[in-house]
Each structure stands twice: as structure tokens, then as C-alpha cells.
Amino acid sequence: MADDMEDQFDDENHEIETETNSTDKKKHYFLKELKMMMYGFGDEENPYQESVELLEDLVIHFVQDMTIKIMEVNKQNKVQIEDLMYLLRKDPRKYARAKDLLIMNEELKKARKAFDEAAKY
């Protein structure tokens, strides 16, 4: 049992090393946003590039894993909010945050719509 876990960690470390070595060639989608988030949570204003890239890798892997799980749950090959909420239901913290963000998104849509209507007059 312990040997299996050790092998599992060795495989994960190898994957991380190969991905880290290939970061020069890949596109970075969230670097700017992650730097701002890290600063907002108490990190340096300009954190180490390696830290930001590692965090970006974690975020991308999380999104990929969740998307795969959603595709397994939903047989229509569509990613839907309801399926995401279904998967998050066992993690109260993530579920509450996702729910808050969805409510905030709806409020922003309503505010934009009201602003656009007011701007017409």
C-alpha cells in the first residue's frame, strides 16, 4: 500500500517537472489575474514568476478535472451551471462561493440592463 502511494507521488512529481520545463512554450491565460489575486491575498506586488505559473497550472488542472467530471455526469456533452453546482454540493465552501458568484453575476446583469435602458433616454 505504501509503495503504491510512493509510486503515485513519484509519477505526479515527474509530471510536474515535465510541465514546468515546457512552460516556455505554452500560453499563459491567467498570469495577470493570478498576480493580482496573490497580491490581494497578501503576497508581494510582483510575486515570483514560478509561483504564479505553478498556481496557474493548479487552476488549469482544477478546471480540466471539473470539466471532465461534468462531462461524465451530463450525457449531453454540454457544460451547464447545474452540473457544476451538483458536483460542488459536497464541498460547502466551494458551493457557497459559487452560489454567491452566480447571484452577483445576475445582479450585475440587471444593473447593466437598467443602466443601458437609462442611457437610451
Side-chain angles (χ1 to χ4, degrees), residues 73 83-95:
V73 169
D83 297 323
L84 176 63
M85 296 305 287
Y86 176 79
L87 289 176
L88 293 178
R89 76 190 187 285
K90 293 182 181 176
D91 189 338
R93 202 167 158 193
K94 288 179 187 171
Y95 183 84

PDB file of all heavy atoms in Angstrom, residues 73 83-95:
ATOM      1  N   VAL A  73     -21.039  13.384 -15.765  1.00  0.00           N
ATOM      2  CA  VAL A  73     -22.363  13.496 -15.156  1.00  0.00           C
ATOM      3  C   VAL A  73     -23.412  13.809 -16.214  1.00  0.00           C
ATOM      4  O   VAL A  73     -24.484  13.216 -16.234  1.00  0.00           O
ATOM      5  CB  VAL A  73     -22.356  14.600 -14.058  1.00  0.00           C
ATOM      6  CG1 VAL A  73     -23.765  14.918 -13.595  1.00  0.00           C
ATOM      7  CG2 VAL A  73     -21.501  14.168 -12.892  1.00  0.00           C
ATOM      8  N   ASP A  83     -24.868  21.329 -13.457  1.00  0.00           N
ATOM      9  CA  ASP A  83     -23.968  20.190 -13.276  1.00  0.00           C
ATOM     10  C   ASP A  83     -22.781  20.569 -12.387  1.00  0.00           C
ATOM     11  O   ASP A  83     -22.354  19.776 -11.545  1.00  0.00           O
ATOM     12  CB  ASP A  83     -23.469  19.688 -14.631  1.00  0.00           C
ATOM     13  CG  ASP A  83     -24.603  19.183 -15.495  1.00  0.00           C
ATOM     14  OD1 ASP A  83     -25.550  18.580 -14.957  1.00  0.00           O
ATOM     15  OD2 ASP A  83     -24.554  19.406 -16.724  1.00  0.00           O
ATOM     16  N   LEU A  84     -22.274  21.774 -12.565  1.00  0.00           N
ATOM     17  CA  LEU A  84     -21.179  22.243 -11.714  1.00  0.00           C
ATOM     18  C   LEU A  84     -21.643  22.334 -10.263  1.00  0.00           C
ATOM     19  O   LEU A  84     -20.957  21.864  -9.351  1.00  0.00           O
ATOM     20  CB  LEU A  84     -20.678  23.608 -12.190  1.00  0.00           C
ATOM     21  CG  LEU A  84     -19.598  24.242 -11.323  1.00  0.00           C
ATOM     22  CD1 LEU A  84     -18.337  23.396 -11.315  1.00  0.00           C
ATOM     23  CD2 LEU A  84     -19.303  25.644 -11.791  1.00  0.00           C
ATOM     24  N   MET A  85     -22.817  22.902 -10.059  1.00  0.00           N
ATOM     25  CA  MET A  85     -23.341  23.017  -8.698  1.00  0.00           C
ATOM     26  C   MET A  85     -23.581  21.631  -8.091  1.00  0.00           C
ATOM     27  O   MET A  85     -23.357  21.426  -6.898  1.00  0.00           O
ATOM     28  CB  MET A  85     -24.626  23.850  -8.689  1.00  0.00           C
ATOM     29  CG  MET A  85     -24.418  25.294  -9.127  1.00  0.00           C
ATOM     30  SD  MET A  85     -23.171  26.183  -8.184  1.00  0.00           S
ATOM     31  CE  MET A  85     -24.037  26.434  -6.656  1.00  0.00           C
ATOM     32  N   TYR A  86     -24.009  20.684  -8.910  1.00  0.00           N
ATOM     33  CA  TYR A  86     -24.212  19.310  -8.440  1.00  0.00           C
ATOM     34  C   TYR A  86     -22.893  18.718  -7.938  1.00  0.00           C
ATOM     35  O   TYR A  86     -22.847  18.065  -6.896  1.00  0.00           O
ATOM     36  CB  TYR A  86     -24.803  18.460  -9.570  1.00  0.00           C
ATOM     37  CG  TYR A  86     -24.967  17.007  -9.216  1.00  0.00           C
ATOM     38  CD1 TYR A  86     -26.035  16.577  -8.436  1.00  0.00           C
ATOM     39  CD2 TYR A  86     -24.049  16.057  -9.659  1.00  0.00           C
ATOM     40  CE1 TYR A  86     -26.187  15.241  -8.100  1.00  0.00           C
ATOM     41  CE2 TYR A  86     -24.197  14.718  -9.327  1.00  0.00           C
ATOM     42  CZ  TYR A  86     -25.261  14.309  -8.558  1.00  0.00           C
ATOM     43  OH  TYR A  86     -25.407  12.992  -8.223  1.00  0.00           O
ATOM     44  N   LEU A  87     -21.823  18.956  -8.676  1.00  0.00           N
ATOM     45  CA  LEU A  87     -20.523  18.418  -8.268  1.00  0.00           C
ATOM     46  C   LEU A  87     -19.971  19.127  -7.027  1.00  0.00           C
ATOM     47  O   LEU A  87     -19.274  18.515  -6.225  1.00  0.00           O
ATOM     48  CB  LEU A  87     -19.521  18.540  -9.416  1.00  0.00           C
ATOM     49  CG  LEU A  87     -19.750  17.604 -10.591  1.00  0.00           C
ATOM     50  CD1 LEU A  87     -18.753  17.895 -11.694  1.00  0.00           C
ATOM     51  CD2 LEU A  87     -19.637  16.149 -10.165  1.00  0.00           C
ATOM     52  N   LEU A  88     -20.289  20.405  -6.884  1.00  0.00           N
ATOM     53  CA  LEU A  88     -19.760  21.167  -5.748  1.00  0.00           C
ATOM     54  C   LEU A  88     -20.565  20.982  -4.472  1.00  0.00           C
ATOM     55  O   LEU A  88     -20.160  21.454  -3.408  1.00  0.00           O
ATOM     56  CB  LEU A  88     -19.712  22.663  -6.101  1.00  0.00           C
ATOM     57  CG  LEU A  88     -18.732  23.064  -7.192  1.00  0.00           C
ATOM     58  CD1 LEU A  88     -18.844  24.555  -7.465  1.00  0.00           C
ATOM     59  CD2 LEU A  88     -17.308  22.683  -6.834  1.00  0.00           C
ATOM     60  N   ARG A  89     -21.681  20.301  -4.539  1.00  0.00           N
ATOM     61  CA  ARG A  89     -22.592  20.211  -3.393  1.00  0.00           C
ATOM     62  C   ARG A  89     -21.946  19.568  -2.167  1.00  0.00           C
ATOM     63  O   ARG A  89     -22.334  19.856  -1.040  1.00  0.00           O
ATOM     64  CB  ARG A  89     -23.854  19.441  -3.782  1.00  0.00           C
ATOM     65  CG  ARG A  89     -23.652  17.934  -3.878  1.00  0.00           C
ATOM     66  CD  ARG A  89     -24.829  17.213  -4.495  1.00  0.00           C
ATOM     67  NE  ARG A  89     -24.678  15.786  -4.437  1.00  0.00           N
ATOM     68  CZ  ARG A  89     -23.873  15.064  -5.204  1.00  0.00           C
ATOM     69  NH1 ARG A  89     -23.133  15.652  -6.115  1.00  0.00           N
ATOM     70  NH2 ARG A  89     -23.807  13.753  -5.064  1.00  0.00           N
ATOM     71  N   LYS A  90     -20.948  18.723  -2.349  1.00  0.00           N
ATOM     72  CA  LYS A  90     -20.311  18.047  -1.222  1.00  0.00           C
ATOM     73  C   LYS A  90     -19.239  18.903  -0.539  1.00  0.00           C
ATOM     74  O   LYS A  90     -18.770  18.554   0.529  1.00  0.00           O
ATOM     75  CB  LYS A  90     -19.687  16.728  -1.685  1.00  0.00           C
ATOM     76  CG  LYS A  90     -20.717  15.715  -2.114  1.00  0.00           C
ATOM     77  CD  LYS A  90     -20.077  14.416  -2.528  1.00  0.00           C
ATOM     78  CE  LYS A  90     -21.125  13.420  -2.980  1.00  0.00           C
ATOM     79  NZ  LYS A  90     -20.526  12.173  -3.468  1.00  0.00           N
ATOM     80  N   ASP A  91     -18.872  19.998  -1.186  1.00  0.00           N
ATOM     81  CA  ASP A  91     -17.890  20.910  -0.608  1.00  0.00           C
ATOM     82  C   ASP A  91     -18.604  22.222  -0.277  1.00  0.00           C
ATOM     83  O   ASP A  91     -18.785  23.075  -1.143  1.00  0.00           O
ATOM     84  CB  ASP A  91     -16.752  21.168  -1.594  1.00  0.00           C
ATOM     85  CG  ASP A  91     -15.599  21.928  -0.987  1.00  0.00           C
ATOM     86  OD1 ASP A  91     -15.811  22.617   0.036  1.00  0.00           O
ATOM     87  OD2 ASP A  91     -14.487  21.845  -1.525  1.00  0.00           O
ATOM     88  N   PRO A  92     -19.050  22.382   0.981  1.00  0.00           N
ATOM     89  CA  PRO A  92     -19.886  23.539   1.327  1.00  0.00           C
ATOM     90  C   PRO A  92     -19.234  24.890   1.025  1.00  0.00           C
ATOM     91  O   PRO A  92     -19.901  25.828   0.621  1.00  0.00           O
ATOM     92  CB  PRO A  92     -20.118  23.394   2.830  1.00  0.00           C
ATOM     93  CG  PRO A  92     -19.649  22.046   3.203  1.00  0.00           C
ATOM     94  CD  PRO A  92     -18.793  21.517   2.116  1.00  0.00           C
ATOM     95  N   ARG A  93     -17.951  24.973   1.191  1.00  0.00           N
ATOM     96  CA  ARG A  93     -17.252  26.234   0.953  1.00  0.00           C
ATOM     97  C   ARG A  93     -17.269  26.611  -0.530  1.00  0.00           C
ATOM     98  O   ARG A  93     -17.583  27.754  -0.886  1.00  0.00           O
ATOM     99  CB  ARG A  93     -15.816  26.090   1.453  1.00  0.00           C
ATOM    100  CG  ARG A  93     -15.152  27.359   1.762  1.00  0.00           C
ATOM    101  CD  ARG A  93     -13.891  27.095   2.541  1.00  0.00           C
ATOM    102  NE  ARG A  93     -13.043  28.244   2.370  1.00  0.00           N
ATOM    103  CZ  ARG A  93     -11.783  28.277   2.689  1.00  0.00           C
ATOM    104  NH1 ARG A  93     -11.204  27.220   3.199  1.00  0.00           N
ATOM    105  NH2 ARG A  93     -11.077  29.359   2.504  1.00  0.00           N
ATOM    106  N   LYS A  94     -16.932  25.663  -1.391  1.00  0.00           N
ATOM    107  CA  LYS A  94     -16.941  25.932  -2.834  1.00  0.00           C
ATOM    108  C   LYS A  94     -18.367  26.155  -3.328  1.00  0.00           C
ATOM    109  O   LYS A  94     -18.607  27.018  -4.174  1.00  0.00           O
ATOM    110  CB  LYS A  94     -16.298  24.770  -3.600  1.00  0.00           C
ATOM    111  CG  LYS A  94     -14.806  24.694  -3.417  1.00  0.00           C
ATOM    112  CD  LYS A  94     -14.238  23.516  -4.163  1.00  0.00           C
ATOM    113  CE  LYS A  94     -12.763  23.342  -3.844  1.00  0.00           C
ATOM    114  NZ  LYS A  94     -12.246  22.091  -4.393  1.00  0.00           N
ATOM    115  N   TYR A  95     -19.294  25.386  -2.807  1.00  0.00           N
ATOM    116  CA  TYR A  95     -20.698  25.527  -3.208  1.00  0.00           C
ATOM    117  C   TYR A  95     -21.218  26.921  -2.857  1.00  0.00           C
ATOM    118  O   TYR A  95     -21.837  27.590  -3.685  1.00  0.00           O
ATOM    119  CB  TYR A  95     -21.554  24.453  -2.532  1.00  0.00           C
ATOM    120  CG  TYR A  95     -22.999  24.487  -2.953  1.00  0.00           C
ATOM    121  CD1 TYR A  95     -23.417  23.853  -4.106  1.00  0.00           C
ATOM    122  CD2 TYR A  95     -23.938  25.167  -2.184  1.00  0.00           C
ATOM    123  CE1 TYR A  95     -24.748  23.895  -4.502  1.00  0.00           C
ATOM    124  CE2 TYR A  95     -25.266  25.217  -2.563  1.00  0.00           C
ATOM    125  CZ  TYR A  95     -25.669  24.566  -3.721  1.00  0.00           C
ATOM    126  OH  TYR A  95     -26.980  24.626  -4.108  1.00  0.00           O
TER     127      TYR A  95
END
